[in-house]
Amino acid sequence: MKYLDEFRDSERVKRLLKIINSIKLPERVRIMEVCGTHTMSIRRFGIHRLVEDRVELISGPGCPVCVTTVDYIDRAVMLSELDDVIITTFGDLVKVPGTRGSLSTSGGDVRVVYSPIESLKIAMDNQDRNVVFLAVGFETTVPGIALTVKEAMQQGVKNFYILEGNKIMPPPIRALLDDPEMEIDAFLLPGHVCTVSGYLQYEFIVREYGKVAVVSGFEPVDILLAILEILKMVRDGKRGIINMYPRAVKPHGNRKAMDLVYEIFQRADDTWRGLGLIPLSGLKLRNRSFSAEERFELPKMDSKEHPLCLCGEILKGKARPDQCRLFGTACTPDHPIGPCMVSSEGTCAAYYKFQEYLR
Amino acid sequence: MCLGVPMKIIEVNRELGMAKAEISGFIQNIRIDLLDEVSAGDYVIVHAGFAIQKLNEKDALETLKLIEEIFFDDEVSG
């Protein structure tokens, strides 16, 4: 397929690798990727091994399911237990364990949807019940959810709500850069998040923190090209932000999509698993009548993560999955204990799937 | 859930804001309301049933040209 095959071409991959591995650097460059699809792509193609002499690739908080708090899961499970509620959700969330079980064991009416918009049809087909969509995801996912809410408004759908959990990417990057224990030289910026939001809002990485940032696509050639540009800048002592995925990413992103997002949502403080409360990192509905939180008056949860699960540290890049005592033994994709093992984009799932633990 | 997939537009229904899109022989109905202009033959990135951006051929070719330049420089210097 056009735009895909050219960026998977093995000849280009080999030549880029040869150039990357001939760059002279005083020490390995620490690059964090903050997108679950990058994590998957890097592990699937083994890119981290191919560049390991020059680069340490660290996975950050890029998997939306993984950064969702256990408190959110508990509220979703509680809602699913109500007789008059149908939960609609992306498939990844269903198996994430909460304090007392997951959506898959709650016994409630939980329906997996591919697109949030399917929730509206379910709401219209079930007028005597309430449909709650579990709204998680970053800038890539939010425009579709915003459009779904807008259509619910326009069509006067009265039995549709969302459980607000959407988040945006720049604030956690700032939080990681403010953490004195984090040693990151450069960021691989999330290509599809930037497709929607643009990349100009990441200039603070360069201006305020003096680091390097490169927008990258998801094919092996894209990722290697981005890594090469990062290494060249580090070698030459340059700081900057470069877009190496221009076929999809414009400086301002998709304005129509972002305008819609902020027509429906406004920024609010939000809690991230592993990172804690981050100012203005979440999105809340402007029109509260579509908020499940308002409609169902949920009690305060006494939520607890599994005491041994290292997911939070892994999301900050401070621990690797194989350093977790549960990894690959008690916690596997079939019996996940933490969200990093549940989502296919989770760091633990990627490690497990591509057999990192056997090395 | 965060996967964006490049797909080729086959047929556009502007009134409904929908299109049929294809990847590897798999055809799917997608929403195109988040984009201004979409026509059959365009490539788009699809995320959770919504096209979130059109892929730009000129920019794709520019990137491939840049790669060729990197290879050329490497050969000259190496």
Side-chain angles (χ1 to χ4, degrees):
Chain A
M1 174 159 167
K2 209 170 158 190
Y3 305 132
L4 213 57
D5 298 339
E6 300 92 324
F7 294 92
R8 283 188 179 170
D9 173 57
S10 64
E11 207 47 47
R12 288 192 180 98
V13 166
K14 279 184 210 155
R15 294 184 73 176
L16 282 169
L17 276 171
K18 182 179 150 271
I19 298 171
I20 286 172
N21 284 317
S22 66
I23 287 191
K24 291 194 171 48
L25 294 157
E27 54 189 23
R28 290 211 299 170
V29 176
R30 288 172 60 91
I31 303 174
M32 177 174 268
E33 90 265 358
V34 284
C35 169
T37 313
H38 275 152
T39 305
M40 279 297 282
S41 220
I42 287 166
R43 301 283 151 188
R44 181 162 72 157
F45 296 108
I47 291 171
H48 58 300
R49 294 287 169 209
L50 297 169
V51 299
E52 66 187 347
D53 288 344
R54 294 288 179 284
V55 175
E56 185 179 351
L57 283 168
I58 307 153
S59 299
C63 154
V65 169
C66 307
V67 299
T68 300
T69 59
V70 70
D71 170 78
Y72 183 95
I73 302 295
D74 286 343
R75 281 180 287 145
V77 169
M78 183 168 278
L79 283 170
S80 77
E81 288 165 346
L82 301 175
D83 284 338
D84 65 340
V85 167
I86 299 171
I87 298 284
T88 56
T89 176
F90 293 123
D92 305 32
L93 270 183
V94 173
K95 279 174 77 181
V96 178
T99 309
R100 298 176 299 124
S102 68
L103 287 162
S104 63
T105 58
S106 76
D109 189 345
V110 177
R111 305 187 191 183
V112 171
V113 291
Y114 163 65
S115 174
I117 203 92
E118 293 166 39
S119 312
L120 287 191
K121 180 163 191 318
I122 294 171
M124 285 187 251
D125 290 346
N126 294 275
Q127 308 249 356
D128 55 334
R129 298 172 73 194
N130 294 306
V131 171
V132 178
F133 176 70
L134 304 182
V136 301
F138 304 132
E139 287 90 333
T140 37
T141 319
V142 187
I145 297 173
L147 194 65
T148 302
V149 172
K150 189 170 179 175
E151 287 197 0
M153 278 180 203
Q154 287 167 342
Q155 295 171 14
V157 182
K158 298 284 182 220
N159 60 331
F160 170 72
Y161 305 89
I162 69 169
L163 186 61
E164 298 147 291
N166 289 116
K167 294 174 170 50
I168 54 173
M169 228 347 128
I173 292 185
R174 184 182 284 280
L176 285 167
L177 285 165
D178 282 334
D179 182 341
E181 284 178 34
M182 285 307 304
E183 290 168 6
I184 304 166
D185 301 307
F187 283 91
L188 208 59
L189 292 179
H192 289 150
V193 162
C194 292
T195 292
V196 174
S197 68
Y199 62 88
L200 297 179
Q201 55 181 314
Y202 293 95
E203 282 180 338
F204 71 91
I205 298 173
V206 181
R207 268 193 279 112
E208 295 177 42
Y209 296 91
K211 308 284 183 189
V212 172
V214 174
V215 183
S216 170
F218 298 92
E219 302 307 324
V221 168
D222 287 313
I223 295 173
L224 290 173
L225 193 57
I227 290 174
L228 177 61
E229 289 306 310
I230 289 172
L231 295 188
K232 280 199 223 160
M233 279 200 274
V234 172
R235 178 195 62 191
D236 299 340
K238 288 183 186 159
R239 298 289 172 260
I241 183 165
I242 300 183
N243 177 16
M244 295 309 285
Y245 193 32
R247 65 186 186 277
V249 174
K250 308 296 160 222
H252 292 281
N254 179 343
R255 281 214 165 124
K256 194 174 180 183
M258 284 312 284
D259 287 349
L260 177 67
V261 166
Y262 286 110
E263 180 189 330
I264 302 297
F265 291 100
Q266 58 190 343
R267 290 176 66 176
D269 298 348
D270 204 358
T271 307
W272 296 56
R273 190 186 292 249
L275 295 163
L277 185 77
I278 304 177
L280 300 179
S281 64
L283 295 170
K284 296 280 181 197
L285 287 167
R286 291 180 189 274
N287 181 342
R288 303 304 299 157
S289 61
F290 290 93
S291 162
E293 205 87 49
E294 302 277 321
R295 165 66 179 74
F296 296 97
E297 290 177 18
L298 298 168
K300 179 102 185 73
M301 299 284 160
D302 187 20
S303 297
K304 285 187 183 67
E305 291 173 22
H306 191 289
L308 295 179
C309 175
L310 283 188
C311 194
E313 293 303 296
I314 289 166
L315 288 168
K316 288 185 284 193
K318 287 187 179 175
R320 289 192 320 268
D322 56 329
Q323 293 168 327
C324 176
R325 282 165 61 189
L326 304 172
F327 178 79
T329 53
C331 184
T332 64
D334 286 338
H335 296 281
I337 288 175
C340 296
M341 186 62 94
V342 178
S343 173
S344 59
E345 296 149 45
T347 307
C348 295
Y351 261 67
Y352 191 90
K353 187 169 178 194
F354 302 113
Q355 311 216 324
E356 291 291 318
Y357 62 102
L358 292 179
R359 286 180 59 100
Chain B
M1 60 156 289
C2 207
L3 278 185
V5 182
M7 297 183 88
K8 185 179 181 178
I9 301 284
I10 297 179
E11 195 184 303
V12 172
N13 184 333
R14 274 179 215 288
E15 261 167 52
L16 293 176
M18 300 209 41
K20 278 193 200 315
E22 184 259 352
I23 181 171
S24 310
F26 174 73
I27 294 177
Q28 195 193 347
N29 285 313
I30 60 163
R31 297 282 299 243
I32 51 169
D33 337 39
L34 298 173
L35 300 180
D36 282 327
E37 272 180 52
V38 183
S39 325
D42 284 345
Y43 287 80
V44 293
I45 294 174
V46 178
H47 183 82
F50 293 86
I52 56 172
Q53 190 58 280
K54 206 155 87 171
L55 287 168
N56 183 304
E57 179 167 9
K58 192 173 139 276
D59 288 319
L61 294 173
E62 282 287 317
T63 305
L64 292 171
K65 201 174 131 213
L66 174 76
I67 295 171
E68 289 313 310
E69 285 168 13
I70 291 171
F71 292 163
F72 179 78
D73 289 347
D74 178 56
E75 273 176 24
V76 171
S77 67

